[in-house]
Amino acid sequence: MLTKNELPACPVATMVELIGNKWKLLIIRNLLAKTSRFGELKNGIPGISQKVLTDNLRSLESDGLVARTAYPEVPPRVEYSLSELGNTLRPLFKSMEEWGNTYKDSLGAISEF
Amino acid sequence: MLTKNELPACPVATMVELIGNKWKLLIIRNLLAKTSRFGELKNGIPGISQKVLTDNLRSLESDGLVARTAYPEVPPRVEYSLSELGNTLRPLFKSMEEWGNTYKDSLGAISEF
């Protein structure tokens, strides 16, 4: 986890540093919907490789946004979920959803005329 | 510009497809603050190369989010600004700013105890 002094002064740059890549954004989108196993995440994010999913999950864990829970079962079960801090991302993702719809509506408006 | 049918069904994935990389997010952050020349953007985004800035500006232009205005002066002056559609990103970036501050405050809380 980065310390406060290692983060950029700008809060937008802080957000970009922590989750500003395609894969992290899609992983968080899926974890906001539900706690998931590795395979569920991999299947739910088209195009992601095992290595890229592993690396990004580790980075999100290290930054305190994702929690990894291992259940001592046979076979072992591992689940990923958003931490309390990760859950504070919900309003931001709501804004992303709203903007994605705004953009799509704007294309609809263009094609109608 | 992609057509509506080429975009992902999920609005978050649409947003990710259009602006989900570090550089585009930082370019838009700067253009929300002010219309800028190429050199101003380059200086305002530490670590960005000329090629990466050019490529991302072209992509944002092609998706209708950024407008490029060339003034027929000597020497020629070119300015980049957000289009009307690009300006609809303002509430999303406000959410990013708020979340960046939330994250930083959470680190402050950890280091105090």
Side-chain angles (χ1 to χ4, degrees), chain A residues 33-99:
Chain A
K34 70 181 185 71
T35 293
S36 306
R37 297 174 69 158
F38 188 90
E40 287 177 294
L41 284 172
K42 186 158 183 311
N43 293 334
I45 303 174
I48 199 165
S49 71
Q50 182 144 342
K51 175 175 179 358
V52 168
L53 179 52
T54 302
D55 289 351
N56 281 290
L57 280 171
R58 283 200 189 139
S59 170
L60 290 167
E61 261 185 88
S62 146
D63 289 328
L65 298 171
V66 163
R68 180 183 185 280
T69 312
Y71 295 92
E73 298 174 0
V74 180
R77 180 164 56 100
V78 177
E79 287 188 346
Y80 296 90
S81 57
L82 292 175
S83 65
E84 195 181 332
L85 187 53
N87 263 302
T88 64
L89 283 161
R90 196 172 292 276
L92 174 54
F93 276 70
K94 186 76 194 160
S95 291
M96 291 180 192
E97 185 181 348
E98 283 166 3
W99 187 77

Side-chain angles (χ1 to χ4, degrees), chain B residues 45-57:
Chain B
I45 304 172
I48 199 166
S49 71
Q50 181 144 341
K51 176 175 177 2
V52 168
L53 179 53
T54 302
D55 290 351
N56 281 290
L57 281 170

Side-chain angles (χ1 to χ4, degrees), chain A residues 99, chain B residues 31-33 82 85-95:
Chain A
W99 187 77
Chain B
L31 293 181
L32 280 166
L82 292 173
L85 187 52
N87 264 302
T88 64
L89 284 161
R90 197 171 293 276
L92 174 54
F93 276 70
K94 185 77 196 159
S95 292

Side-chain angles (χ1 to χ4, degrees), chain A residues 28 37 86 103:
Chain A
I28 294 164
R37 297 174 69 158
Y103 188 88

